[in-house]
Amino acid sequence: MSFILRIFLLAICFTLVVECNVFAKGYTVSSSTQVRKKDYDWAKEQALEKVQTKLILKAAQNMLSQENLAKLQKNFPTYIRVPQRYIQSFSILSEEITKSNINLSVYSEVNIPALAAKLKNLGFILKSDPFFSVTFLVSKQLEFNATDFLAQLKKMHIVAQKPSFLNPEFLSQPKQKFISSVFQTFSQNNTIYLLSPVIKNNQIVSLRFTIYTKIHSKIIASWKYPITPVDVNQKTPELTASIAKFLQSLDYSYLHTQAYQSNATDLFLSVTGLDSPFLRAKFERYFLKSNPLIKKYSLNQLAPKKTTYLLSSLSSTPKILNSFYHLQTHAHFALAFNKSNASYIEVKTEYKARTHRATPVQGWQNPSIFTKLSQSTLASITATPTKQESEPNNSPFSYNALPASTWVWGNVRSRSDNDIYQIKLPQNKSKQRLIIHFQVLGQTHFSPVLYLYQNDFQWLQTYKPIKIHIGNAKTTIKRTFTTLPQSIYIRITDYIGYIPQEIGGFLSFQYIIYYTWT
């Protein structure tokens, strides 16, 4: 197996930790790439990239219309920059290498909820999105055949009957009176779309598209579309053409999002067992913020034994309950549903902290461990560290002073942990070359990284230690300053950062660091 293929499979395995989800579908795809100038590694890398693209497109085939799928395929590198983020497993079924081609066949599982969420964030309308009913009104000054207009709305999962044409006198009422009367006259839907002209000097100079909602009794969106001026009393082909262009410009941002927001209903969620800010924050994160069925939520009431939230959702109460059942399998909570109805859910929570399997800490104080490491990868170190980091040292306001010419031991205990040190400036101003030695002790699944800053934490450079194998990464930083800054800082942390619900071993790393001026 080539080096590039190993790296790719390691990246896929790491992604499993980030995007693990039980809702996955398996796909088999094949890819063939031409070998140029006997560069087999490059050809295999290209074949793997093609495989990833095909996997995502094949999964998206069941989610998107042909029109949207073609749009995704055309702009794939821009839309999906990291395809492996949505690939949950990866296995090579066959690999054929000839003088001119590399042919791969793979089986992979794609994380469907994560991919669907990404497509929705990109503005795509999924086949599974619900349809919304609206009332469509048009000013009589713009009478036209609305068949194409209604078909375009349907593509956005918005259903409207043939439009009702309103007299200009009806439209000329004061705003609040108009909103009230229009919902009294057309009461079949909660949302109304109105297409009307903007008239100046007896000419139609633009089209105005407005969305009204009965729930809030106000305009929730208004959009003006300029056109070539047309006489108000003449139905010219130019006006019909302008309406057609306006129709083509309707998109997700202006219409579909507003339809979802205006059709959302309010739901009360009463939760017992959230007895501390920590538990409330955990619950909100796992069940409210990350729940795709909940558009918005707010804290409605906070009492010693009960917390009540007001949710805004487009889904029914049973669907939200089902989503809670699914989410609790990945969260730290067990839920008991006491009672629920169409507008109210009562939940009892029990928090269950998870234990992380980890390797025993290999302290630098253990002489045998340090001697063994010194003989293998730390040959340049002649003495054990005499200093140790002290917490807190994880913010620009709380850091350790790093003594010069002294090995210091530290421990990054989680992906979100930061160890920040201030480097003392040389007393001899002619010494302006900074040399930093950094070494990870033992194995880790983290990706250690060092950030160098100056003055008020102005970033200078990022350094990623070279991994000898899994763990045991090391680096030597050499930087020359033409003018010494007022202060220099170095931050040691994990490059990936916090990953929700990550479990497993080697989820920390110990290190030693040393610097000198020359």
Side-chain angles (χ1 to χ4, degrees), residues 153-428:
L153 291 179
K154 197 168 184 180
K155 287 182 181 178
M156 300 180 189
H157 285 223
I158 297 168
V159 179
Q161 302 298 323
K162 288 186 178 181
S164 300
F165 292 93
L166 302 179
N167 291 319
E169 295 78 14
F170 191 87
L171 292 167
S172 63
Q173 300 178 81
K175 184 174 69 173
Q176 287 303 321
K177 186 178 180 181
F178 169 76
I179 295 174
S180 176
S181 58
V182 79
F183 278 111
Q184 288 178 3
T185 308
F186 305 94
S187 59
Q188 62 269 37
N189 296 123
N190 291 328
T191 306
I192 285 179
Y193 291 174
L194 172 64
L195 183 62
S196 58
V198 176
I199 300 172
K200 289 185 179 179
N201 300 325
N202 212 34
Q203 285 190 320
I204 301 174
V205 295
S206 59
L207 303 174
R208 185 184 297 278
F209 190 77
T210 312
I211 304 177
Y212 299 88
T213 173
K214 183 190 293 185
I215 297 173
H216 301 99
S217 297
K218 65 178 183 180
I219 297 172
I220 60 171
S222 185
W223 181 29
K224 189 189 293 184
Y225 181 81
I227 64 172
T228 304
V230 175
D231 190 280
V232 72
N233 297 315
Q234 295 181 1
K235 304 297 186 292
T236 63
E238 288 80 4
L239 180 59
T240 304
S242 296
I243 293 175
K245 288 181 180 179
F246 163 75
L247 170 65
Q248 294 171 3
S249 67
L250 287 179
D251 63 11
Y252 182 93
S253 300
Y254 290 101
L255 211 53
H256 194 251
T257 303
Q258 298 295 346
Y260 269 76
Q261 291 176 351
S262 62
N263 282 274
T265 55
D266 292 336
L267 175 71
F268 285 96
L269 172 66
S270 181
V271 189
T272 55
L274 305 181
D275 301 327
S276 69
F278 168 79
L279 292 178
R280 286 196 300 275
K282 284 280 187 182
F283 180 84
E284 289 170 9
R285 179 181 167 202
Y286 287 117
F287 292 92
L288 304 182
K289 189 173 182 180
S290 63
N291 194 332
L293 299 184
I294 296 174
K295 293 298 174 184
K296 291 186 294 185
Y297 71 90
S298 60
L299 187 62
N300 183 258
Q301 184 179 6
L302 181 59
K305 294 186 178 181
K306 184 178 289 189
T307 305
T308 304
Y309 296 94
L310 180 61
L311 313 181
S312 180
S313 176
L314 303 166
S315 301
S316 62
T317 301
K319 285 186 177 180
I320 295 174
L321 289 174
N322 285 335
S323 72
F324 283 171
Y325 276 118
H326 163 60
L327 290 169
Q328 74 175 341
T329 62
H330 304 287
H332 300 257
F333 289 88
L335 306 185
F337 299 92
N338 294 347
K339 58 183 178 181
S340 65
N341 55 45
S343 59
Y344 179 81
I345 299 176
E346 185 174 306
V347 177
K348 182 180 180 181
T349 67
E350 180 185 355
Y351 181 74
K352 296 183 176 181
R354 290 184 175 180
T355 57
H356 286 203
R357 179 178 60 85
T359 55
V361 174
Q362 298 176 345
W364 60 270
Q365 299 92 338
N366 188 325
S368 62
I369 293 176
F370 191 81
T371 301
K372 186 176 180 180
L373 288 169
S374 300
Q375 292 172 350
S376 59
T377 60
L378 307 176
S380 61
I381 300 174
T382 56
T384 58
T386 57
K387 299 288 184 181
Q388 180 176 345
E389 64 152 326
S390 60
E391 298 288 350
N393 63 345
N394 55 1
S395 78
F397 309 102
S398 178
Y399 49 81
N400 291 169
L402 189 63
S405 304
T406 303
W407 284 100
V408 175
W409 175 86
N411 185 12
V412 172
R413 296 164 179 79
S414 66
R415 288 197 186 275
S416 57
D417 188 17
N418 291 278
D419 288 351
I420 300 178
Y421 299 95
Q422 184 184 53
I423 294 175
K424 292 183 178 179
L425 300 177
Q427 293 181 352
N428 185 348

